[in-house]
Amino acid sequence: MSRAVRVSTRNASFQQWQALLTNRTKRHRAGEFLVHGVRPITLAAEHGWEIRDLIYPDRQSLSGWARDMLDRTGARPVAMDPALVAELAGKESAELIAVVGLPAPPPLPDADLVVVFDRPSAPGNIGTLIRSADAFGAAAVVVTGHAADPYDPKSVRASTGSLFALPVLQLDRPDPLLDWAARGGVQLVGTDEHGAVDVADHDLTGPTALLIGNETNGLSAAWRAAADVLVRIPITGAASSLNAAAAATVILYETARQRSRSRG
């Protein structure tokens, strides 16, 4: 491990890292974001993301995992006053905080299942959807329109590290994805509580883009018009609808179930 930088006061470096927690503009201007937790940091390293700095509490013993991360990532070690580490972590104890470089925008994949999240407003929902997309075999998540930031700490935490294993694209407009779908013969399956077809009755085994709407307003008019079909999830009880990320999880499960049966 190279010689550690020591941070004992709220100096300029600390203030910049602190800004990464809440300021989207500063995250993207600096080209980096903060990552907390053993699994997310481990997956970032395993998937080859650029880990620039690893912050840890000064003068405290570290676990074997933390020492291994410091040794093998090539990150600059930053020994920080434990109270300041707690501020960056949002809790009393955190063994490591990683400062990770933002990736270059990935291309749309040559694959047969992607999930499109239209104008999500809650970063935690983005992270949850990314986790489900990873779990059920999607090749990418596309976040479109005026949306929360996938690299917000709440999104990163909710993804439990899947953010580092799955390409996440951000598009201002639907056009690039619509062109990609047309070229690849990809069906656009929108979700709507008033959809014409139950999701289990629609064939999801072919190349598919699942369209998930904003938490409050659902899919935009542009995406609704572009969809080849609008499917619904039958629900009972007092609930009028499902949370957007929960609805995506149900439809991803149904997609995986259909595909498993078609292969069998």
Side-chain angles (χ1 to χ4, degrees):
M1 185 175 78
S2 58
R3 185 182 180 89
V5 174
R6 285 199 146 71
V7 175
S8 57
T9 63
R10 291 177 176 79
N11 61 13
S13 292
F14 174 82
Q15 290 175 38
Q16 178 168 322
W17 291 324
Q18 190 175 43
L20 299 180
L21 291 172
T22 56
N23 192 311
R24 177 184 191 148
T25 300
K26 290 188 176 179
R27 275 195 295 271
H28 287 265
R29 188 177 296 152
E32 60 190 25
F33 62 110
L34 295 187
V35 179
H36 309 91
V38 172
R39 181 170 173 78
I41 292 173
T42 300
L43 286 173
E46 288 179 355
H47 287 274
W49 287 56
E50 179 196 5
I51 300 179
R52 297 178 178 175
D53 301 303
L54 281 171
I55 300 166
Y56 59 93
D58 196 10
R59 297 184 173 84
Q60 292 187 8
S61 60
L62 296 175
S63 69
W65 166 78
R67 291 194 301 272
D68 180 58
M69 285 290 116
L70 286 161
D71 287 340
R72 70 185 178 94
T73 60
R76 181 179 66 161
V78 179
M80 183 178 286
D81 178 273
L84 298 181
V85 174
E87 281 191 44
L88 292 183
K91 56 184 180 180
E92 291 184 7
S93 62
E95 196 169 32
L96 284 182
I97 300 170
V99 182
V100 178
L102 288 172
L108 279 160
D110 182 17
D112 68 353
L113 180 62
V114 302
V115 185
V116 178
F117 203 172
D118 178 34
R119 300 164 300 132
S121 60
N125 277 338
I126 298 178
T128 299
L129 185 144
I130 291 169
R131 180 180 183 180
S132 295
D134 184 24
F136 291 115
V141 169
V142 183
V143 178
T144 66
H146 183 68
D149 185 10
Y151 300 101
D152 182 289
K154 292 177 183 175
S155 172
V156 179
R157 189 177 299 115
S159 83
T160 63
S162 288
L163 175 70
F164 304 108
L166 192 70
V168 176
L169 295 79
Q170 298 177 76
L171 300 177
D172 292 332
R173 299 175 297 107
D175 302 27
L177 190 129
L178 296 179
D179 293 343
W180 166 85
R183 289 194 307 271
V186 178
Q187 67 167 338
L188 300 176
V189 178
T191 55
D192 187 274
E193 60 186 282
H194 304 297
V197 184
D198 281 0
V199 63
D201 294 331
H202 183 72
D203 185 358
L204 296 165
T205 58
T208 300
L210 301 175
L211 312 179
I212 308 299
N214 168 273
E215 296 93 339
T216 304
N217 300 312
L219 287 169
S220 68
W223 279 117
R224 289 175 66 87
D228 297 303
V229 62
L230 292 175
V231 300
R232 64 177 177 264
I233 300 169
I235 59 174
T236 59
S240 61
S241 63
L242 293 174
N243 164 279
T249 302
V250 171
I251 292 174
L252 280 160
Y253 171 78
E254 173 60 20
T255 304
R257 186 192 68 82
Q258 290 187 21
R259 292 175 178 211
S260 175
R261 287 196 170 187
S262 70
R263 287 192 298 268

